[in-house]
Amino acid sequence: MKCSIRKAAVIGSGIMGSQIAAQLANVGIATLLLDIVPKELTQEETAKGLTLDHPAVRNRCATSAIARLSKIKPAPLYDESFASRITPGNLEDHLAQVASVDWIIEVVVENLDVKKRLLKQIEAYRKPGTIVTSNTSGISINAMAEGCSNDFQKHFLGTHFFNPPRYMKLLEIIPGKHTDPELIPAMKIFCENVLGKGVVIAKDTPNFIGNRIGTYGLLVTLQEMQMNGGYTVEEVDAVTGPAMGRPKSATFRTLDLVGLDTFVHVAENVFGHVSDEDEKAVFATPDVLKGMVERKWLGEKSGQGFYLKKKGEKGSEILSLNLATMEYLPQQKPKGASLEAAKAVKGTKEKTKAIISGKDRYSQLAWNILKQVLIYSANKVGEISDSIQEIDEAMKWGFSWDLGPFETWDAIGLVRSVERMEAEGLSVPNWVKEWIAAGNTSFYKNDQGSLYSIHIGSQQFKQVEQAPEVINLRNLKEQNKVVKGNSGASLIDLGDGVACLEFHSPNNAIGEDILSMIHQSVDEVRSNFEGMVIANQGRNFCVGANIMLLLMEAQDEEWDEINDIIHMFQSTMYKVKRFEKPVIAAPHRMCLGGGVEACMPADQVIASAETYYGLVEVGVGLIPAGGGCKELTLRASQHVRLADADLQPYITQIFETVGMATVSTSGHDAKRLGYLRPFDRVVANQDHSIYEAKQAVLGLARGGYEPIPEEKIRVVGSEGKAILQLGALGMKQSGYISDHDLFIAKKLAHVLAGGDVPAGTLVSEQYMLDLEREAFLSLCGEPKTQQRMQHMLTKGKALRN
């Protein structure tokens, strides 16, 4: 079975419903968004003379929800224009239209009776074979479908999107007992390939996988905090954040973000549906949470929770709640040997081992929480999922853990940690002890680049299946597929005659080592491959050039050295662009400055949807000088030549985008900004981007590839430069930019305009590169630019001096 979904209907236009509709729209699915008919007019509707029968009133809930999508931060839509793919309606007038869709998603209130009534209404209109799913965080799928027809139950299952649907990778699919077995893998493939999700198959149990374990972990943390040491809110967050491979939001900031009322509802769902008394005791709502909900201290949405942001004489201050007195007090930064030990080492495995191996109270807290979560996860295997891998992935994708519980167990030493647990009187599940008794020391093993995990039924290692669209560079390196490499980059054989140039310097910042490897890679690919992909699987694709190196050279007034570095960057990118074999770039997440310039020479860019792409050099007092200005002016010149249009507006737009260091909010937004070309592509699933790039290389190679010929660039010259500089001066006089911003803007205008030549002059690419390099060098010598570079290195953000 293959899912072919072109149209969908989302029932319920609340926060989750509207944002699920937005994600469907993001990937090109036309979506009908339905909600109830209002019973009262708003003041605005009354003033307009509307009645309750007017379509604008009857569709108000869905229409308003669509309008709010453009105001929500972070943005639910890849591009605001995608909202046009969502059609508003209401349940009384438009429910019959679900007969024309391929997928119906119910996203109404978490109440079984309400959901059952709605599903019966949907059943009356849906055509046989239409997929119907419920976005529930924990209500039984089987209970919802009771009383529905065989065809309905056969095509009904749960699809639990995590909030916010665009950004959270996890999607739990929960089959019912009557769900067609063939539909389950078909929906999994569709949601991975089209929606870009990480899908796990969960059993129909309370809160499924992610919320079951995640809620347990938060509750045992709260219990440990109060019962065994009187820890403060900020102490708990210091322990349960990055020190344990968890997000910076840790425990209490996460609860504030989720909403305490929402969290209590999720916990009570487990409490009301499990029979084990020990488990029920953990999921009983703590008095402190009850009290906070009663006071309406719900977290971010109410303005206060475990933390409170308060404005004072010295600016905003974030206070933390003292749970003993229920007063908000200034935070005290926790200090302890185990916390310092965790900071001193790199990698989640080493950090976790460091913090649980100490002798102070923070180490004890970390261990007391971790051991309970690991044992609980092991106890739930077979009940919530038969696969430890799916439990691990649910926690990584849904709660942003760096390692899932079983990966964590391996990291801290399975045998040693179980011995410690048992010595402390804990009961470890029998299957874990049997696995160790059989001579195993981990739940996972990697054998020549292939991953294996324990198969619970057979108590044997079983190879973890990987979709063909997922290419893992680390596995390829373990299979000795590295062709060339140095400290900054490697060339890896992807198979089928395609090589991948991978950056792996700190933060993937571009320095001489990466540039050298690009040169070597081009020569290697010329001789032995069909083409090349530029991609990596780091946290971010590339944060730009090595600012530290540039600053040191500038402070030492080594202008020749800086000139050589920029010249090497430019010549390297030019070599890639003129290469006689196809090159495809596949950026993801942060791709800034030099990272963008490394992608621009490629024949095509295949960006992940979550690509934040921009030439941000102005933020450190510089301008793009690795070919970025040249490439954007070239594209503008090509466009006006084909469209017979005025060049100045396009150069002005580029000037504003680069001058304001604008970064795209998505891959699609990068197209709107002009960073990506019309034929560049965006893929929803970041895990598939290297595969898609490889296929693009092969397609070009098999089609008789010819390198991009050089062409002259038409420039706006001195007249256009004056227009650009006049605009910048206006911003300075209006107080939007500083004196140094204006100084940089004039340099940028000089480059983008093509210097002091007549408007319409045709110049070479090398001419434009020379302008870039000259402007860059002169800015490096400015004290205020050096201050900006230093500030970025020490503070991690731009200085507007």
Side-chain angles (χ1 to χ4, degrees):
M1 177 185 290
K2 181 179 179 181
C3 287
S4 180
I5 296 171
R6 295 181 177 83
K7 289 184 67 178
V10 176
I11 316 297
S13 65
I15 293 173
M16 282 301 292
S18 61
Q19 293 198 44
I20 289 171
Q23 185 60 16
L24 294 173
N26 280 337
V27 298
I29 298 173
T31 303
L32 178 66
L33 181 62
L34 304 181
D35 212 319
I36 59 172
V37 174
K39 295 181 180 179
E40 295 179 353
L41 294 172
T42 64
Q43 289 183 347
E44 185 180 358
E45 289 166 345
T46 302
K48 289 180 178 179
L50 302 180
T51 67
L52 288 173
D53 293 329
H54 195 282
V57 176
R58 295 177 69 79
N59 296 340
R60 183 214 304 155
C61 292
T63 302
S64 299
I66 295 169
R68 283 194 298 271
L69 291 174
S70 63
K71 300 177 176 65
I72 297 172
K73 302 296 180 186
L77 292 164
Y78 293 154
D79 188 297
E80 286 187 15
S81 67
F82 292 173
S84 63
R85 298 170 179 173
I86 309 173
T87 302
N90 67 76
L91 286 168
E92 294 181 17
D93 302 329
H94 306 112
L95 188 58
Q97 293 183 22
V98 302
S100 66
V101 307
D102 308 302
W103 183 13
I104 303 166
I105 310 175
E106 169 273 305
V107 200
V108 298
V109 63
E110 285 287 274
N111 179 287
L112 178 59
D113 291 336
V114 173
K115 289 179 180 289
K116 289 186 72 170
R117 283 197 300 271
L118 177 58
L119 292 178
K120 290 299 289 183
Q121 290 178 278
I122 291 170
E123 184 177 24
Y125 292 106
R126 70 176 278 275
K127 65 179 182 289
T130 301
I131 300 164
V132 183
T133 70
S134 173
N135 180 69
T136 174
S137 60
I139 296 178
S140 170
I141 300 303
N142 289 314
M144 274 189 249
E146 285 178 359
C148 292
S149 68
N150 290 336
D151 183 78
F152 187 97
Q153 293 194 44
K154 185 178 178 181
H155 295 90
F156 180 67
L157 61 163
T159 46
H160 178 209
F161 289 81
F162 271 58
N163 188 26
R166 170 183 164 181
Y167 298 95
M168 294 305 294
K169 185 173 180 177
L170 179 62
L171 173 61
E172 293 176 321
I173 287 181
I174 310 99
K177 58 186 176 184
H178 298 299
T179 303
D180 183 348
E182 293 185 3
L183 176 61
I184 301 164
M187 276 296 287
K188 183 177 190 291
I189 291 170
F190 174 83
C191 292
E192 288 172 342
N193 292 355
V194 179
L195 295 184
K197 293 298 172 186
V199 177
V200 299
I201 308 300
K203 295 192 176 185
D204 189 17
T205 56
N207 289 14
F208 314 128
I209 300 175
N211 278 345
R212 184 72 169 269
I213 293 174
T215 304
Y216 178 90
L218 288 167
L219 287 169
V220 297
T221 299
L222 191 56
Q223 290 174 6
E224 282 295 323
M225 171 189 185
Q226 295 184 294
M227 294 169 57
N228 298 318
Y231 297 91
T232 66
V233 163
E234 56 266 41
E235 283 179 321
V236 171
D237 276 358
V239 170
T240 60
M244 291 179 67
R246 311 288 170 78
K248 289 182 179 178
S249 57
T251 297
F252 294 111
R253 290 189 190 278
T254 296
L255 285 169
D256 278 356
L257 289 168
V258 169
L260 272 64
D261 53 341
T262 301
F263 178 79
V264 167
H265 173 78
V266 172
E268 287 178 345
N269 187 57
V270 179
F271 180 83
H273 291 91
V274 295
S275 56
D276 183 87
E277 291 303 320
D278 290 337
E279 188 172 12
K280 284 181 81 74
V282 174
F283 283 92
T285 305
D287 290 340
V288 65
L289 289 183
K290 288 180 181 177
M292 292 177 72
V293 171
E294 288 172 1
R295 294 182 188 213
K296 305 297 182 185
W297 294 1
L298 306 179
E300 290 278 314
K301 59 187 173 186
S302 68
Q304 66 187 105
F306 288 100
Y307 291 96
L308 170 66
K309 190 173 184 178
K310 187 176 181 180
K311 289 186 178 180
E313 294 180 0
K314 298 181 179 179
S316 295
E317 181 183 15
I318 298 176
L319 309 178
S320 63
L321 184 64
N322 182 315
L323 299 188
T325 64
M326 298 305 285
E327 294 178 311
Y328 289 99
L329 302 172
Q331 295 184 63
Q332 301 296 319
K333 187 175 181 180
K335 294 182 180 179
S338 60
L339 289 173
E340 294 304 315
K343 286 181 183 178
V345 295
K346 291 185 177 181
T348 299
K349 292 182 180 180
E350 296 306 317
K351 287 180 181 296
T352 307
K353 284 195 287 187
I355 199 165
I356 67 169
S357 300
K359 302 298 182 183
D360 61 14
R361 58 197 294 269
Y362 297 130
S363 180
Q364 192 61 51
L365 175 64
W367 171 246
N368 286 347
I369 294 167
L370 184 61
K371 67 184 180 183
Q372 293 184 75
V373 172
L374 298 183
I375 289 175
Y376 185 75
S377 300
N379 276 322
K380 295 299 113 182
V381 174
E383 180 183 338
I384 62 176
S385 174
D386 291 327
S387 164
I388 67 162
Q389 184 198 9
E390 293 206 299
I391 292 175
D392 279 344
E393 288 175 338
M395 301 317 298
K396 290 188 292 183
W397 295 340
F399 283 78
S400 300
W401 292 10
D402 289 344
L403 298 174
F406 298 98
E407 292 173 326
T408 301
W409 219 330
D410 281 357
I412 65 173
L414 174 60
V415 176
R416 184 170 60 254
S417 60
V418 166
E419 290 173 349
R420 182 177 175 183
M421 291 171 185
E422 291 190 315
E424 294 174 2
L426 276 72
S427 178
V428 177
N430 286 332
W431 73 264
V432 174
K433 292 190 287 187
E434 291 168 2
W435 180 247
I436 293 172
N440 298 294
T441 58
S442 65
F443 293 118
Y444 292 94
K445 71 173 182 178
N446 201 310
D447 186 6
Q448 296 183 337
S450 294
L451 182 65
Y452 294 79
S453 69
I454 177 177
H455 181 253
I456 302 301
S458 65
Q459 284 274 308
Q460 298 289 326
F461 275 115
K462 182 180 179 181
Q463 186 170 353
V464 174
E465 294 183 10
Q466 195 72 276
E469 295 86 3
V470 177
I471 294 176
N472 189 305
L473 296 181
R474 184 176 63 182
N475 288 349
L476 290 174
K477 287 191 279 189
E478 289 174 354
Q479 295 170 25
N480 298 316
K481 297 294 185 180
V482 176
V483 181
K484 286 181 176 293
N486 64 20
S487 60
S490 296
L491 187 69
I492 303 167
D493 186 351
L494 297 180
D496 301 317
V498 180
C500 177
L501 176 66
E502 176 204 33
F503 302 164
H504 48 68
S505 63
N507 296 316
N508 288 344
I510 296 176
E512 291 185 58
D513 48 3
I514 287 180
L515 295 175
S516 173
M517 185 49 56
I518 294 175
H519 272 283
Q520 294 179 51
S521 295
V522 168
D523 294 337
E524 179 68 29
V525 171
R526 177 182 290 114
S527 300
N528 298 309
F529 291 90
E530 296 292 324
M532 181 170 71
V533 170
I534 301 175
N536 63 72
Q537 292 172 326
R539 184 176 184 82
N540 296 302
F541 177 81
C542 178
V543 298
N546 188 332
I547 301 174
M548 175 67 81
L549 175 63
L550 286 170
L551 178 60
M552 290 172 60
E553 299 289 7
Q555 289 174 335
D556 291 341
E557 299 185 358
E558 296 286 355
W559 310 122
D560 288 342
E561 289 292 332
I562 296 176
N563 183 69
D564 289 345
I565 292 169
I566 302 307
H567 188 271
M568 183 180 184
F569 198 150
Q570 292 180 341
S571 63
T572 302
M573 297 305 108
Y574 190 83
K575 184 174 184 178
V576 171
K577 184 170 184 178
R578 300 287 170 248
F579 188 36
E580 60 269 24
K581 293 193 175 182
V583 177
I584 307 293
H588 66 277
R589 294 188 62 79
M590 300 302 291
C591 180
L592 305 176
V596 172
E597 291 175 310
C599 294
M600 281 181 157
D603 296 288
Q604 187 180 33
V605 175
I606 297 182
S608 75
E610 299 304 335
T611 299
Y612 316 122
Y613 204 78
L615 294 170
V616 296
E617 286 83 353
V618 168
V620 289
L622 300 168
I623 69 160
C629 294
K630 179 263 293 184
E631 282 297 316
L632 290 177
T633 54
L634 172 61
R635 293 174 188 181
S637 174
Q638 291 170 332
H639 180 79
V640 298
R641 177 172 56 81
L642 294 172
D644 191 25
D646 181 11
L647 179 59
Q648 185 67 50
Y650 294 94
I651 298 300
T652 299
Q653 181 182 350
I654 293 168
F655 178 68
E656 292 172 354
T657 300
V658 178
M660 298 302 292
T662 307
V663 177
S664 74
T665 57
S666 69
H668 293 279
D669 191 47
K671 280 196 172 187
R672 180 188 66 81
L673 292 169
Y675 287 133
L676 296 183
R677 300 157 292 190
F679 56 82
D680 290 330
R681 288 175 49 209
V682 179
V683 295
N685 194 325
Q686 182 179 313
D687 294 341
H688 296 178
S689 59
I690 295 179
Y691 171 85
E692 294 292 342
K694 176 184 174 181
Q695 299 310 307
V697 167
L698 292 172
L700 288 174
R702 291 164 183 167
Y705 176 77
E706 293 184 6
I708 300 170
E710 181 167 352
E711 63 177 281
K712 295 289 186 178
I713 302 171
R714 187 177 300 279
V715 297
V716 295
S718 55
E719 294 177 16
K721 171 182 166 181
I723 293 172
L724 299 180
Q725 292 184 342
L726 184 62
L729 181 61
M731 293 187 71
K732 169 64 179 66
Q733 292 173 339
S734 300
Y736 289 110
I737 62 175
S738 68
D739 287 337
H740 193 53
D741 287 326
L742 179 60
F743 182 78
I744 298 165
K746 288 180 177 180
K747 295 281 187 180
L748 178 63
H750 180 76
V751 174
L752 293 177
D756 294 318
V757 296
T761 299
L762 294 175
V763 301
S764 68
E765 291 190 38
Q766 187 58 55
Y767 171 85
M768 292 297 293
L769 290 173
D770 290 342
L771 288 181
E772 283 186 4
R773 192 170 67 258
E774 289 165 8
F776 188 94
L777 273 168
S778 67
L779 286 168
C780 281
E782 293 293 326
K784 287 190 175 182
T785 284
Q786 293 179 19
Q787 290 170 14
R788 289 191 178 194
M789 296 166 76
Q790 184 70 54
H791 193 269
M792 179 62 71
L793 289 168
T794 56
K795 303 293 185 180
K797 56 185 179 181
L799 171 67
R800 291 294 182 187
N801 55 353

